[in-house]
Amino acid sequence: MSNEPPKSAPDEDFASLFAAAEQSAPRGRRAKQTVGDRVRGKIASIGNEVTVLELEGGGEGTLETLELRDDSGQLTVKVGDVIEARVTGLGEKAGFVWLRRGSTRGADPRAGLAEAAASGLPVEGLVTGVNKGGVEVTVGGVRAFCPVSQLELRPVADPAVYVGQKLLFRITRYEDDRRGPNVILSRRALLEEEMRERAVETRVKLIPGAVLSGTVTSLKDFGAFVDVGGIEGLLPASEIGFQRGTKPSDVLSVGQSVTVQVLRIEKRDDPKRPEQVSFSLKSLERDPWDDAVETLRAGAVIKGQVMRAETFGAFVQVAPGVEGLLHISELGAGKHLRHAREAVKPGDTVEVTVLAIDAEKRRISLGLGAREDAVDDEGRVAAARAAGSGSGGSSGGMGTLGDLLKKAQLSSKPPK
């Protein structure tokens, strides 16, 4: 089946094609277009010289049919196909625009580049090599240059990875003299434009508590930056998960898709970034403390890993994402210690007894080894059990839950 348009009558012209498109076009509110806008439209008719598009959002546009042919002259599209193009001019009639997809085949490359530079129309170029400070690009047979700072929205570590790729650029400078054209390109300008377009749609749903899909764009020690559609926000390291001390690079990677919840939105005076957004991953997860409260009981003897040491004691992980405090008085075998690290260090595995759980304040008090002075939630000393069976026994240690919780509260503060 040929993609060639049907033979046109001798008197077929643009006016008749446009009139036919007018009759078939849906009547609705038309989006206001400006020169340089990227638009999508469905091909309504294809003539020998002109093709008419019905634009998404309303309105009509035309472009030269020559732009829709391949090197052998065959059409690459058909009526009903949806294509993208750039607005290069506005018609006298409301809602009508002139369109271009790229430089017309057979036209003078220099004239096409000069027109693209004046109108802001993107051009396609092939990255051919790396030069000092950027990359060399061939556009329409003309050699051009794109600074490395204009390749991406963020710094590029190795521009050589772009060699051999066909990319869209905007011409930021075009000069032509007897030595030939001097063409400077920017890909970043187009990426920023696309980001602004996506941001308009994203802001409609950007409210605290909203759950959005995004992509990790960069990783830092203090967190990860996530793009949720033209708007970038910070996912602090403390909001990645319930595990303390999580390094973003250990659990995330650049380019990874994530689902985050909006925590905060702070307005700014910067027109380029009018808002500062904070995200959270752990707010979408079940709080491990809830499971710990249900499963852990005073008197339980467990093995845990020391996560960090302080002057007042060591924090031991008793369940994934849940830590308890092993007071410094529990360490040193009766010897006075000035710092918990004199007895334990992060990464050590220790056997501890759950002495008390304060669910309201989210605190767990631990004792070193198998102990018999653990107190349950009702202030009763837990029944003694054999070491390793999962709970401790009773003895003459702290006899009330209040005393144990008082000790836990004091142990959370460094000595004056």
Side-chain angles (χ1 to χ4, degrees):
M1 180 177 178
S2 175
N3 283 332
E4 288 297 315
K7 295 295 183 179
S8 304
D11 59 347
E12 178 188 53
D13 56 14
F14 166 70
S16 59
L17 287 171
F18 183 70
E22 271 291 294
Q23 293 176 359
S24 60
R27 302 296 176 183
R29 185 177 180 182
R30 291 176 174 176
K32 184 177 180 181
Q33 311 290 355
T34 59
V35 174
D37 283 353
R38 185 177 68 255
V39 296
R40 286 166 55 88
K42 183 171 68 174
I43 297 176
S45 60
I46 302 175
N48 290 330
E49 301 294 334
V50 177
T51 293
V52 178
L53 272 66
E54 297 173 358
L55 303 182
E56 293 183 354
E60 298 83 25
T62 64
L63 73 161
E64 295 182 25
T65 302
L66 184 61
E67 290 197 72
L68 305 176
R69 299 183 184 274
D70 59 21
D71 293 334
S72 64
Q74 296 297 312
L75 282 171
T76 59
V77 295
K78 62 182 181 299
V79 172
D81 285 353
V82 176
I83 62 174
E84 291 189 357
R86 288 275 175 173
V87 177
T88 58
L90 305 178
E92 294 183 1
K93 186 174 181 178
F96 172 75
V97 294
W98 304 97
L99 303 171
R100 287 285 296 276
R101 297 190 78 193
S103 298
T104 304
R105 292 183 176 86
D108 180 5
R110 296 190 182 187
L113 293 179
E115 179 185 347
S119 65
L121 188 70
V123 294
E124 185 180 68
L126 174 66
V127 181
T128 57
V130 178
N131 205 336
K132 183 178 180 181
V135 294
E136 295 179 0
V137 185
T138 298
V139 182
V142 176
R143 181 181 176 185
F145 175 75
C146 178
V148 68
S149 63
Q150 298 300 308
L151 272 173
E152 291 285 354
L153 294 173
R154 293 169 189 80
V156 174
D158 182 15
V161 300
Y162 294 88
V163 175
Q165 294 188 35
K166 285 186 177 182
L167 303 170
L168 288 178
F169 299 89
R170 174 162 290 159
I171 300 176
T172 56
R173 186 171 73 185
Y174 180 83
E175 299 172 349
D176 198 356
D177 54 29
R178 59 184 181 181
R179 294 176 297 179
N182 177 26
V183 184
I184 305 298
L185 306 173
S186 172
R187 180 169 177 258
R188 178 173 180 167
L190 295 178
L191 296 177
E192 288 177 338
E193 180 180 302
E194 292 176 2
M195 185 174 67
R196 287 192 294 270
E197 291 175 357
R198 296 199 311 271
V200 172
E201 299 178 4
T202 302
R203 284 193 181 95
V204 175
K205 50 189 177 182
L206 190 70
I207 58 175
V211 177
L212 305 172
S213 297
T215 303
V216 177
T217 57
S218 64
L219 297 171
K220 305 293 181 183
D221 290 340
F222 54 84
F225 287 95
V226 179
D227 185 336
V228 292
I231 296 179
E232 190 178 70
L234 175 65
L235 173 62
S238 61
E239 291 295 330
I240 291 177
F242 288 95
Q243 185 82 32
R244 287 180 179 268
T246 299
K247 291 184 62 176
S249 57
D250 289 342
V251 293
L252 298 172
S253 58
V254 174
Q256 179 179 341
S257 297
V258 293
T259 299
V260 294
Q261 186 170 41
V262 179
L263 279 186
R264 291 178 298 277
I265 304 174
E266 299 178 9
K267 298 300 182 182
R268 298 166 38 142
D269 293 331
D270 186 351
K272 292 185 178 180
R273 295 189 62 185
E275 63 274 302
Q276 183 172 314
V277 187
S278 296
F279 299 124
S280 175
L281 272 176
K282 75 177 186 181
S283 63
L284 300 176
E285 301 175 358
R286 178 175 170 81
D287 189 343
W289 177 266
D290 297 335
D291 293 329
V293 170
E294 292 178 3
T295 58
L296 284 179
R297 291 291 181 269
V301 179
I302 55 180
K303 288 185 178 181
Q305 185 180 41
V306 176
M307 305 305 292
R308 61 190 190 280
E310 305 290 350
T311 56
F312 50 87
F315 287 94
V316 180
Q317 180 173 268
V318 295
V322 179
E323 296 176 3
L325 177 64
L326 184 60
H327 193 264
I328 193 169
S329 63
E330 297 283 337
L331 302 170
K335 179 183 176 182
H336 176 70
L337 302 179
R338 304 176 72 177
H339 198 287
R341 62 170 172 262
E342 297 177 27
V344 294
K345 63 181 183 299
D348 286 351
T349 298
V350 294
E351 185 180 61
V352 294
T353 297
V354 178
L355 297 180
I357 300 175
D358 187 337
E360 183 178 347
K361 294 184 178 180
R362 298 169 67 94
R363 291 175 178 172
I364 299 176
S365 178
L366 303 174
L368 185 62
R371 296 279 296 275
E372 298 180 348
D373 56 352
V375 179
D376 64 18
D377 295 340
E378 297 181 4
R380 298 173 301 191
V381 176
R385 295 181 183 175
S389 66
S391 64
S394 62
S395 78
M398 292 186 178
T400 67
L401 180 60
D403 291 337
L404 286 170
L405 295 182
K406 182 177 180 181
K407 178 181 176 181
Q409 293 169 10
L410 292 174
S411 65
S412 66
K413 301 179 181 179
K416 295 182 178 179

